[in-house]
C-alpha cells in the first residue's frame, strides 16, 4: 500500500517511520525542501517533494499539518487524487475540520492520534510514538465504512488504541483533558512571572523541580498550537475554562476562610477522581 504524508513534523514523521518499517511505501510532502531531504535521509519516507502532485500515487493520505492548513491543503490536493483515495488528518480539533473537508472529499475520515512530545519538526520523529496511545476516529453518517475501517486498521498497526466517536464528542472531551490543561499550564507560568520581586522570581526559577516541570510543560509549547485549539474549539474551551474558574474560586474561598476541612475534602475527591483517568 502507498501511504502519503503531507507535513513531515513530529506526527507525520513518526507515522512514516513506523509504517515504512512495516513494509508500506511512504511518500511525503513538506513546504521546505530541506525537510524533504532530511526525511529521506532519516528513512522516514521513500520519496519526498514540495509538490502535492506526489500524492497522486497514494492509497491513503495523512494530512499532518497545523489545523489552519488542513482545509486549504485538501482543496489543493483534490485534483491529484484518484476517486478511491482515502484522506485523513491528525488535527486535535475535529468538528470544524470534518465539516469543512468532508464536502471536498467524500473519502475523508477525521482522525486524532493522541501522542506527542515537547519537540517538533522532522528531527523529533521517533518510532513507536503511538504504541498504547489513543487514536480517535470521528466519522459521520456519510463517511464510507471501508474508509473508516482502513484508517482504523492503520492506527492499530501503529500500536494505538482506537476509539470511534462523533466529532462533537471528541471536541468536548479533549477540551477537558488537552486544551484546558494547555491554557491552565500557560496561565500558571504567566502568573509566576507576575511576582513583583525579581529576586524571588530568580530564586523560584532555580528551585523549580518536577512538580513545576510537569504542570508547566504543555503551557511552554508551540504558541501556534495554543492559538489554533482556542480558535477551532472556542466554545468547548470557553465552557471548560469557565467551570475550571468556578472550581478555582471554590478553592480560594476555602483558603480565605481557613476552611481546612473543606479544602481537604476537595483534595480527597480530586485524588480519587484522578484514578479514573487512563494515564
Amino acid at each position: 500500500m502507498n501511504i502519503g504524508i503531507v507535513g513531515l513534523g513530529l506526527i507525520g514523521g513518526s507515522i512514516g517511520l513506523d509504517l515504512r518499517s512495516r513494509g508500506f511505501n511512504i511518500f511525503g510532502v513538506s513546504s521546505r525542501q530541506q525537510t524533504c531531504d532530511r526525511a529521506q535521509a532519516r528513512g522516514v519516507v521513500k520519496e519526498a517533494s514540495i509538490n502535492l502532485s506526489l500524492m497522486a500515487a497514494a492509497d491513503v493520505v495523512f494530512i499532518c499539518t497545523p489545523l489552519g492548513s488542513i482545509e486549504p491543503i485538501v482543496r489543493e490536493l483534490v485534483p491529484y487524487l484518484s476517486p478511491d483515495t482515502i484522506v485523513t488528518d491528525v488535527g486535535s480539533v475535529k468538528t470544524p475540520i470534518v465539516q469543512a473537508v468532508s464536502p471536498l472529499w467524500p473519502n475523508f475520515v477525521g482522525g486524532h492520534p493522541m501522542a506527542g512530545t515537547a519537540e517538533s519538526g522532522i528531527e523529533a520523529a521517533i518510532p513507536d510514538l503511538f504504541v498504547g496511545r489513543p487514536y480517535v476516529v470521528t466519522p459521520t453518517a456519510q463517511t464510507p465504512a471501508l474508509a473508516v475501517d482502513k484508517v482504523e486498521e492503520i492506527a492499530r498497526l501503529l500500536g494505538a488504541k482506537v476509539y470511534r466517536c462523533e466529532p462533537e464528542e471528541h471536541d468536548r472531551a479533549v477540551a477537558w483533558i488537552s486544551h484546558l490543561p494547555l491554557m491552565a499550564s500557560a496561565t500558571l507560568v504567566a502568573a509566576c512571572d507576575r511576582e513583583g520581586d525579581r529576586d524571588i522570581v530568580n530564586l523560584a526559577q532555580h528551585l523549580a523541580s518536577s512538580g513545576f516541570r510537569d504542570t508547566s510543560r504543555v503551557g511552554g509549547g508551540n504558541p501556534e498550537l495554543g492559538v489554533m485549539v482556542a480558535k477551532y474549539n472556542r466554545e468547548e474551551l470557553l465552557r471548560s475554562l469557565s467551570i475550571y474558574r468556578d472550581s478555582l474560586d471554590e478553592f480560594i474561598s476555602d483558603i480565605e476562610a481557613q476552611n481546612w476541612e473543606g479544602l481537604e475534602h476537595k483534595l480527597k475527591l480530586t485524588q480519587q477522581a484522578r484514578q479514573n483517568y487512563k494515564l
Side-chain angles (χ1 to χ4, degrees), residues 185 188-189 207-220:
S185 175
L188 168 66
V189 178
L207 297 179
S209 188
S210 58
F212 187 82
R213 179 195 65 209
D214 294 343
T215 52
S216 66
R217 181 182 64 82
V218 292

Side-chain angles (χ1 to χ4, degrees), residues 226-271:
V227 173
M228 286 295 101
V229 299
K231 178 179 178 180
Y232 281 84
N233 203 23
R234 178 175 174 271
E235 290 186 9
E236 293 301 339
L237 177 57
L238 284 173
R239 179 177 176 274
S240 64
L241 280 167
S242 177
I243 296 173
Y244 175 67
R245 180 174 57 193
D246 292 342
S247 297
L248 188 59
D249 285 340
E250 292 176 6
F251 275 72
I252 291 172
S253 295
D254 282 342
I255 296 170
E256 286 179 337
Q258 300 186 55
N259 181 12
W260 310 128
E261 182 178 342
L263 179 62
E264 182 179 15
H265 177 67
K266 288 183 176 63
L267 292 173
K268 283 181 178 179
L269 290 177
T270 59
Q271 181 187 49

Side-chain angles (χ1 to χ4, degrees), residues 154-229:
I154 294 173
R156 291 190 180 96
L157 286 174
L158 294 171
K161 297 178 180 179
V162 175
Y163 295 86
R164 187 187 296 193
C165 66
E166 296 180 1
E168 295 81 4
E169 293 175 324
H170 166 278
D171 293 350
R172 190 163 183 172
V174 298
W176 286 112
I177 50 84
S178 181
H179 303 164
L180 172 61
L182 190 159
M183 296 302 166
S185 175
T187 52
L188 168 66
V189 178
C192 291
D193 210 45
R194 289 187 181 182
E195 163 62 51
D197 189 331
R198 300 315 295 178
D199 289 336
I200 296 297
V201 173
N202 183 63
L203 178 61
Q205 290 169 345
H206 284 85
L207 297 179
S209 188
S210 58
F212 187 82
R213 179 195 65 209
D214 294 343
T215 52
S216 66
R217 181 182 64 82
V218 292
N222 185 351
E224 181 184 8
L225 175 61
V227 173
M228 286 295 101
V229 299

Side-chain angles (χ1 to χ4, degrees), residues 11-273:
I11 301 299
S14 297
I15 290 173
L17 282 173
D18 282 350
L19 293 184
R20 197 170 188 208
S21 71
R22 289 159 174 77
F24 291 84
N25 294 318
I26 309 298
F27 302 90
V29 169
S30 173
S31 60
R32 300 174 61 208
Q33 185 62 48
Q34 181 181 358
T35 301
C36 294
D37 295 341
R38 187 58 186 148
Q40 287 184 269
R42 287 201 60 196
V44 171
V45 297
K46 176 181 179 181
E47 185 178 350
S49 172
I50 59 173
N51 298 310
L52 285 172
S53 58
L54 184 63
M55 296 293 101
D59 300 302
V60 179
V61 177
F62 285 81
I63 309 297
C64 303
T65 65
L67 285 166
S69 303
I70 295 173
E71 179 189 357
I73 284 175
V74 173
R75 287 186 181 276
E76 292 183 44
L77 185 61
V78 163
Y80 302 110
L81 301 178
S82 66
D84 294 331
T85 302
I86 297 167
V87 178
T88 186
D89 76 314
V90 300
S92 61
V93 181
K94 295 271 63 85
T95 304
I97 299 302
V98 171
Q99 289 176 345
V101 176
S102 294
L104 302 175
W105 195 251
N107 270 346
F108 175 75
V109 182
H112 181 202
M114 302 196 67
T117 70
E119 308 302 321
S120 61
I122 187 62
E123 297 298 342
I126 55 175
D128 299 328
L129 178 65
F130 310 99
V131 173
R133 302 305 305 159
Y135 197 119
V136 188
V137 177
T138 61
T140 67
Q142 290 72 43
T143 309
L146 289 177
V148 179
D149 291 343
K150 180 57 65 177
V151 172
E152 290 184 345
E153 176 188 336
I154 294 173
R156 291 190 180 96
L157 286 174
L158 294 171
K161 297 178 180 179
V162 175
Y163 295 86
R164 187 187 296 193
C165 66
E166 296 180 1
E168 295 81 4
E169 293 175 324
H170 166 278
D171 293 350
R172 190 163 183 172
V174 298
W176 286 112
I177 50 84
S178 181
H179 303 164
L180 172 61
L182 190 159
M183 296 302 166
S185 175
T187 52
L188 168 66
V189 178
C192 291
D193 210 45
R194 289 187 181 182
E195 163 62 51
D197 189 331
R198 300 315 295 178
D199 289 336
I200 296 297
V201 173
N202 183 63
L203 178 61
Q205 290 169 345
H206 284 85
L207 297 179
S209 188
S210 58
F212 187 82
R213 179 195 65 209
D214 294 343
T215 52
S216 66
R217 181 182 64 82
V218 292
N222 185 351
E224 181 184 8
L225 175 61
V227 173
M228 286 295 101
V229 299
K231 178 179 178 180
Y232 281 84
N233 203 23
R234 178 175 174 271
E235 290 186 9
E236 293 301 339
L237 177 57
L238 284 173
R239 179 177 176 274
S240 64
L241 280 167
S242 177
I243 296 173
Y244 175 67
R245 180 174 57 193
D246 292 342
S247 297
L248 188 59
D249 285 340
E250 292 176 6
F251 275 72
I252 291 172
S253 295
D254 282 342
I255 296 170
E256 286 179 337
Q258 300 186 55
N259 181 12
W260 310 128
E261 182 178 342
L263 179 62
E264 182 179 15
H265 177 67
K266 288 183 176 63
L267 292 173
K268 283 181 178 179
L269 290 177
T270 59
Q271 181 187 49
Q272 295 167 4

